[in-house]
Structures are given as structure tokens and as C-alpha cells.
Amino acid sequence: MAQSAVAVHVADFGALPDDNRCDTEPIRRAIEKAIQSGDPEVHFSAGTYQLDRPLDFPKEGSSYVGIFSATNLVISGETLQDGKPSTRLERRFKLNNDTQLPLMISISHSTNLTIRNMTLANNPPLGVTARVVSVNTNSDDVVVEILLGYRDWE
């Protein structure tokens, strides 16, 4: 994909794909820079960006990525030859009985915003096709069998 000359690149702020490091804060800084400077695009190279820690925004609450007061902004990833997105934002978290996740992306007070060529995913996936094998009510353990060949629901 040809990159815009006036695009803000998340890599310039330290968000590098596939490096097994949290990219939440560098992505926030890149988006804020684009909004403040009026640059029309925030660009992500191909690969997986990890969102490990949600950020607290004073008015909007907690989310992994926040886009506030943006106008005419494009958040763009790259594509494979077949046109499918090759850029993935992956929210990572520990899953337990009390897990309450903040929003992956929070958008407010924005107009003409486009997000393209991005896959938004959860790790672990929030749903799969499975069968309950056993339940231990004393330890609050549930054993499930994942039924292979069925779609994961993210």
C-alpha cells in the first residue's frame, strides 16, 4: 500500500508489529499527534500490535485505543495481495470469572473518521465452539473440549 506523505506512522512513536511488546501508549501518542497537527492519516505497517494495558481518559473512561475530537482522520493498516487486512490490533488480557474488559476502541466527538484494513482481535478469543466436559463447583473449575473446525468468535 502506498503511504501518504503526511501520514503519522505509529512506528515513529515506538509501536512496532510482532515485537511482543505493548503498543498501547505509542499508538495513543501517534493518534494524538495526528489529531493535534491535522495530519489526515495514522498508518500501521503489517503485523500484530499488542494492546496489553488499557488507558484511562479523563472524560471518556477506560479503553485500549482512544480517538477523541478527530475530524477527517483515517486510521489505516496494510493489506495482503488478496485485499484482506494484514494489520491486526490484538487486545491481550487474563481471562477469569470476573473479567470485565474496557472498550478496545473508544471514539467520541469525531467526524468523518475512517478505520480501514485492520483486524480487531482478542487474545484469548472471547468465544469458541466447545463442549463442557466437567464442572467442579468446589474449586470453580470448568473443563471444556474445544471443538476444532468451528469458527472462533472474536
Side-chain angles (χ1 to χ4, degrees), residues 44-107:
F44 291 73
S45 296
T48 298
Y49 295 83
Q50 293 183 18
L51 306 174
D52 293 345
R53 291 183 305 274
L55 300 172
D56 289 319
F57 296 97
K59 296 177 186 172
E60 293 81 7
S62 185
S63 68
Y64 289 83
V65 176
I67 303 171
F68 311 117
S69 301
T71 302
N72 300 323
L73 182 65
V74 175
I75 308 291
S76 69
E78 295 188 7
T79 59
L80 300 170
Q81 286 183 337
D82 63 5
K84 293 181 182 175
S86 62
T87 302
R88 177 182 175 101
L89 296 182
E90 186 174 274
R91 176 170 60 173
R92 292 184 168 195
F93 52 91
K94 291 184 179 181
L95 187 60
N96 59 44
N97 289 341
D98 300 324
T99 299
Q100 294 183 2
L101 294 173
L103 297 173
M104 183 179 279
I105 299 177
S106 180
I107 301 168

Side-chain angles (χ1 to χ4, degrees), residues 101-119:
L101 294 173
L103 297 173
M104 183 179 279
I105 299 177
S106 180
I107 301 168
S108 70
H109 300 93
S110 297
T111 57
N112 199 23
L113 174 69
T114 301
I115 300 175
R116 67 176 176 224
N117 303 327
M118 307 282 272
T119 299

Side-chain angles (χ1 to χ4, degrees), residues 4-41:
S4 170
V6 292
V8 172
H9 299 272
V10 296
D12 293 341
F13 293 81
L16 302 174
D18 305 320
D19 66 352
N20 290 322
R21 299 179 76 183
C22 181
D23 297 304
T24 307
E25 183 61 28
I27 290 170
R28 179 197 64 80
R29 290 194 316 266
I31 291 171
E32 285 183 358
K33 168 74 166 122
I35 292 170
Q36 291 169 0
S37 64
D39 291 328
E41 182 178 351

